[in-house]
Amino acid sequence: MTGLDSTTTPAATAATSVREAHVRDAPARPRATLALTSAATAVALMTYTAPTVTLPDTAAALHTPLSGQAWLLNGTPLGLAALLLVAGSLADDYGRRRIFLGGTLALGITTALGAFTTSTWLFTLARIAQGAASAAILASSLGLLVAAFPTPRGRLHATGVWGAFVSGGIAVGPLVAGALPTWRVTYVVLGAAAVAVAALGTRTLAESRAPRGGRPDVLGALTFGLALVALVAALTLGRDGWLRAPVGLLLAAAVLLIALFAAVEHRTGTPMIDLGLLRHARFLASAAGGLFTGLAVIGMFSFLPALLQQTLRLSPMGTAWLVLLWSGLSFAVALQVKHLAGRIAPRAQLAIGFALHTVAVLTMLGALASGSWTRLLPGLIIGGVGSGLLNGALPLLAVESVPRERAAMGSGAQQTFRYIGSCAGVALTIALATSTGNLAHGANIALLVSAALAAVGAVSVMVLRERA
């Protein structure tokens, strides 16, 4: 029994169950809930990954310089990271169904609006709004699933399928973007898909929540969001010189705002995140798993398609099919992770996933300079298996690392770290890849750093063990 389990008494558990029973509008429909949350998650991830294969065309249409391309990719993860904790807390307190449906509808509207932007900053703002809407979907989805699947066996199945659809959305997004005539049409199609899922959800999903009382943590949300904006801006501007005054000021502002956020969370009665969870190794392992997945895996593979197009001269559709080898394997493996239950702990699955990513990116060294895309195949296969293990284990560890009634908050916390890592990883990858004037050589440096970060991630999740 973990330290978290020991703090939840049978009486408290029973009280929570009764309280949740009173706030459900109708009995949960497990299969329908799993289908809709998985579909919405897939659309959110498709929206997230669509720009990876259309980045050169989007940058050309918006007249975005190379130094500003990180913003085109980082808008959505910034919105995700800034709002996931808020969305998770609001979902638990005010209704997971309500937050889920609102987020899905907002994703449809903001994605469609993104198709009509005419400048880098307007596109970035649209992408941030898409990330905020996606945060509502991702944070509330696991809360809805925990309510619909109350048994450990049910949660194992549901989180495994949901994690697979994370990989599925990543796989299909670039294919859709590559197959459609322009990147603008892509956003219209994805926006319509999100609206359709929201419409289906209004008739299908049952409400559930675990209200704590009190007011929303507005000050905490504001300080945390501003801290992330400052951090991402510093990482993006840093590629032009880390010792410049604006970079230093932004980093200092990020540190001060994080300190202010911690002080706010200690004082408020309904914090976005219970900072006491930081004393539990399982929660820290969940956070570390999300952070290093973003830094090492998402950061590298978000910019890899653009590198393939610019060095190997692949078309967007050709790039999408090649990347599908990685993301498709990730989807297939994530679906099978549930069969590892009882044999391999989620933390061990994460460590193996990080180790496989390390091996994968090391095999890709020199591939871009060779001029042959076939040199990438072993790395894409190995990396796909590793990514599948990560995406399958992370959602289960997220809900197991917090009390059951705070499932949405636990999901939001882990994914916050994931997309903070993604923001930093994308900015770092672009900075390294473009640092030498030779993209193929710069890509090798970025691959080595990605391998090192994944190795650190593997060690960190295994070192963090819950004390008896």
Side-chain angles (χ1 to χ4, degrees):
M1 180 176 290
T2 67
L4 282 177
D5 295 331
S6 63
T7 62
T8 306
T9 65
T13 302
T16 298
S17 300
V18 171
R19 185 166 62 245
E20 289 200 350
H22 280 300
V23 297
R24 287 195 184 124
D25 295 334
R29 299 167 61 182
R31 291 184 179 179
T33 300
L34 179 57
L36 280 170
T37 54
S38 297
T41 297
V43 173
L45 269 297
M46 288 166 66
T47 303
Y48 180 97
T49 58
T52 60
V53 296
T54 61
L55 181 62
D57 291 340
T58 305
L62 301 177
H63 307 290
T64 307
L66 185 61
S67 60
Q69 289 185 16
W71 284 110
L72 301 184
L73 292 175
N74 264 345
T76 296
L78 176 58
L80 277 161
L83 270 297
L84 273 162
L85 278 175
V86 182
S89 292
L90 290 176
D92 284 335
D93 288 338
Y94 297 101
R96 294 151 188 160
R97 176 183 181 273
R98 179 180 298 172
I99 298 300
F100 175 85
L101 292 177
T104 308
L105 180 60
L107 178 64
I109 295 171
T110 56
T111 301
L113 288 175
F116 302 100
T117 55
T118 56
S119 69
T120 299
W121 286 108
L122 284 175
F123 182 81
T124 300
L125 288 174
R127 294 285 290 168
I128 292 173
Q130 291 161 29
S134 297
I137 296 171
L138 297 181
S140 59
S141 288
L142 284 178
L144 285 167
L145 290 178
V146 168
F149 293 87
T151 67
R153 182 181 180 86
R155 285 198 301 274
L156 175 66
H157 167 72
T159 56
V161 171
W162 186 85
F165 272 83
V166 171
S167 297
I170 292 171
V172 175
L175 280 178
V176 171
L180 293 172
T182 68
W183 63 271
R184 296 185 187 276
V185 174
T186 298
Y187 284 104
V188 172
V189 170
L190 291 176
V195 172
V197 174
L200 290 172
T202 57
R203 297 184 176 183
T204 305
L205 296 175
E207 186 61 281
S208 69
R209 52 187 175 267
R212 298 170 293 171
R215 298 178 179 178
D217 184 13
V218 176
L219 184 56
L222 182 63
T223 53
F224 189 74
L226 289 175
L228 290 182
V229 170
L231 177 61
V232 173
L235 292 172
T236 304
L237 295 176
R239 67 172 303 276
D240 294 324
W242 293 102
L243 298 180
R244 294 186 303 141
V247 176
L249 289 173
L250 285 167
L251 287 174
V255 172
L256 289 174
L257 285 165
I258 287 294
L260 179 59
F261 169 72
V264 169
E265 297 306 279
H266 274 297
R267 293 175 64 88
T268 185
T270 53
M272 288 197 305
I273 181 171
D274 179 4
L275 296 181
L277 291 170
L278 297 176
R279 295 192 295 268
H280 297 284
R282 183 175 290 192
F283 180 82
L284 290 175
S286 173
L291 178 66
F292 284 99
T293 296
L295 280 170
V297 182
I298 301 177
M300 186 68 243
F301 279 94
S302 290
F303 194 59
L304 182 62
L307 287 172
L308 296 179
Q309 292 180 55
Q310 294 177 51
T311 57
L312 301 181
R313 304 303 175 191
L314 296 178
S315 66
M317 195 61 191
T319 303
W321 281 112
L322 190 58
V323 174
L324 180 64
L325 181 60
W326 168 73
S327 53
L329 273 171
S330 177
F331 173 75
V333 171
L335 272 179
Q336 301 305 314
V337 162
K338 61 185 178 182
H339 298 301
L340 298 176
R343 301 177 186 177
I344 304 177
R347 286 186 304 105
Q349 292 175 39
L350 291 180
I352 295 170
F354 283 128
L356 288 174
H357 177 80
T358 300
V359 174
V361 293
L362 289 177
T363 66
M364 294 181 184
L365 289 172
L368 299 183
S370 72
S372 173
W373 59 266
T374 57
R375 282 269 282 103
L376 293 164
L377 295 181
L380 292 172
I381 292 170
I382 297 170
V385 175
S387 177
L389 289 173
L390 293 171
N391 286 335
L394 280 170
L396 181 60
L397 189 59
V399 298
E400 286 186 345
S401 65
V402 297
R404 179 177 177 271
E405 67 273 15
R406 307 307 297 164
M409 184 271 290
S411 170
Q414 183 198 83
Q415 292 180 87
T416 296
F417 284 101
R418 179 180 179 128
Y419 292 107
I420 289 174
S422 172
C423 288
V426 166
L428 180 62
T429 299
I430 293 177
L432 293 172
T434 59
S435 62
T436 65
N438 182 321
L439 279 177
H441 178 64
N444 286 336
I445 299 173
L447 288 166
L448 286 171
V449 172
S450 178
L453 289 169
V456 173
V459 172
S460 66
V461 295
M462 290 306 295
V463 166
L464 291 166
R465 296 177 179 271
E466 198 77 53
R467 295 178 181 177

